[in-house]
Each structure stands twice: as C-alpha cells, then as structure tokens.
Amino acid sequence: EAGCADWERIIRDVLPYTDFFLPSVEELLMMLDREKYHRILERSGGRDITEVLSLEEDVKPLAERCIAMGAGCVLIKCGAPGLFYKTAGETFAEMLTQRLGHDCGDWAGAEGFEKSYVPGKLRSGVGAGDTTIAAFLSAMLAGYPLRRCLQLATATGASCVETYDVLSGLKCFAELEQRIDKGWEKNK
C-alpha cells in the first residue's frame, strides 16, 4: 500500500512543519521522482545507484524541492560517497538559535556535499545511515557548528561499517574528533 501512496502530496503537506528531513537519496527519489529513480537504477547496471548519481542533476534538485516545500534542513544520505545538505535561510538559523540556546548562524542558507571518511575495514553497512543521522542530530543538539556536525555524522557512519553489528563500532565524539583532526582520509 505504501508504494501506491501519493508521496509527493504527503511530503508537500508535512515539510512545512519539518525542521530536519533526513532521507536517503533512494527513498527521496522513489517518493518525488519514481521515473527518474528507475532510469538511474537502469543506468547503474546492478551497482549501487550512489555510484552513478550526479550531485548537480540528481541530488541537488531533490534538496531544493524539499526546501521549497518548507523543510528547514535537508540532509540526503548518498551511501558510501557521503551526504548532501541544504538548509533554509536566516529565519531557519534564527529559529534554531532560539530553540537550542546556542548560535546557529552558520546554518543559514548552507549547501554542499560532505564526503564520507574511509573506514579502516569494511565489514557491514547495516545501520550506517541510521547512526550517521543519529550522530548529526546529537551533534546539532550539543551545539556543534554545522560543519562539525557533518564531520561527526560521516565519521560515525564510517565507524559503524568497520564492524559487523550496528553498535560496537560507534565512538564518542571526542574520539571521532581526534581521528578527524589527525587527518582521517575522506573518500574521493
């Protein structure tokens, strides 16, 4: 039944009340542009679709649509390559500052792609997206600037794939920051 729902209408109705919208690119394509999803799936030739996505043609327009529909911050999980992010303008940053009690001025009108970190070992992707989002939200609530929230999110995802289960690879932010600050290599 969920596959038959009018997801574009549902999203359009919900996003004006959504501060953070954090889907995967596959989920968002299926909800907002199913035909394009199937074209990209065909283009991938059986590989992970994130290997053939164009940020400018495939991912960025999805984020722009979500912001135009009213989301405050859109973070699109793009698998192993990383995260695309886009935030609304000054009003969103001011609202965050007021609600969180710390300066969120760097969140206004931000956009970009945060590449993932290279994991030491690749054991399992199970839970990597969920732990990435959990780290992003935790870092935001803890008062980290946007850039560091993105780094901690992608570092958490990379740590998660280094183990077979979801939790045993997770590290505290202090440990992740040490590894990041020592020059942890990013995916190309």
Side-chain angles (χ1 to χ4, degrees):
E1 288 183 35
C4 297
D6 183 353
W7 284 104
E8 184 166 0
R9 182 187 57 77
I10 293 167
I11 290 172
R12 190 175 40 252
D13 290 347
V14 169
L15 285 185
Y17 307 101
T18 306
D19 294 331
F20 293 90
F21 186 46
L22 314 159
S24 72
V25 68
E26 296 94 341
E27 293 164 341
L28 199 50
L29 278 166
M30 280 297 289
M31 291 187 281
L32 294 181
D33 198 341
R34 196 168 290 205
E35 288 179 22
K36 187 172 199 170
Y37 172 77
H38 288 294
R39 287 193 309 271
I40 293 170
L41 195 59
E42 187 176 309
R43 188 171 78 212
S44 73
R47 295 177 293 159
D48 187 317
I49 72 164
T50 62
E51 294 178 31
V52 298
L53 287 174
S54 162
L55 283 178
E56 289 298 318
E57 295 175 23
D58 301 323
V59 182
K60 185 177 177 180
L62 290 170
E64 289 171 345
R65 279 177 72 184
C66 292
I67 293 292
M69 286 188 228
C73 174
V74 179
L75 191 72
I76 302 174
K77 298 176 287 182
C78 296
L83 304 166
F84 185 84
Y85 62 94
K86 184 168 182 64
T87 66
E90 291 291 329
T91 304
F92 174 69
E94 290 168 2
M95 177 276 301
L96 271 184
T97 297
Q98 182 181 11
R99 285 187 185 170
L100 299 176
H102 53 261
D103 183 21
C104 297
D106 64 325
W107 290 72
E111 175 182 302
F113 190 80
E114 184 69 24
K115 292 180 181 180
S116 295
Y117 290 93
V118 176
K121 303 170 194 151
L122 183 56
R123 295 222 164 109
S124 173
V126 174
D130 292 336
T131 59
T132 296
I133 295 309
F136 177 81
L137 293 172
S138 294
M140 180 266 306
L141 290 171
Y144 285 94
L146 175 60
R147 177 92 177 116
R148 193 56 133 187
C149 290
L150 294 162
Q151 290 172 333
L152 290 167
T154 54
T156 298
S159 296
C160 181
V161 302
E162 292 179 335
T163 62
Y164 291 113
D165 66 285
V166 177
L167 300 176
S168 64
L170 299 182
K171 311 286 186 237
C172 68
F173 285 167
E175 191 174 337
L176 292 173
E177 287 184 289
Q178 279 185 328
R179 197 167 171 191
I180 291 166
D181 293 343
K182 287 182 181 177
W184 190 354
E185 182 183 0
K186 292 266 196 172
N187 282 314
K188 297 188 185 339

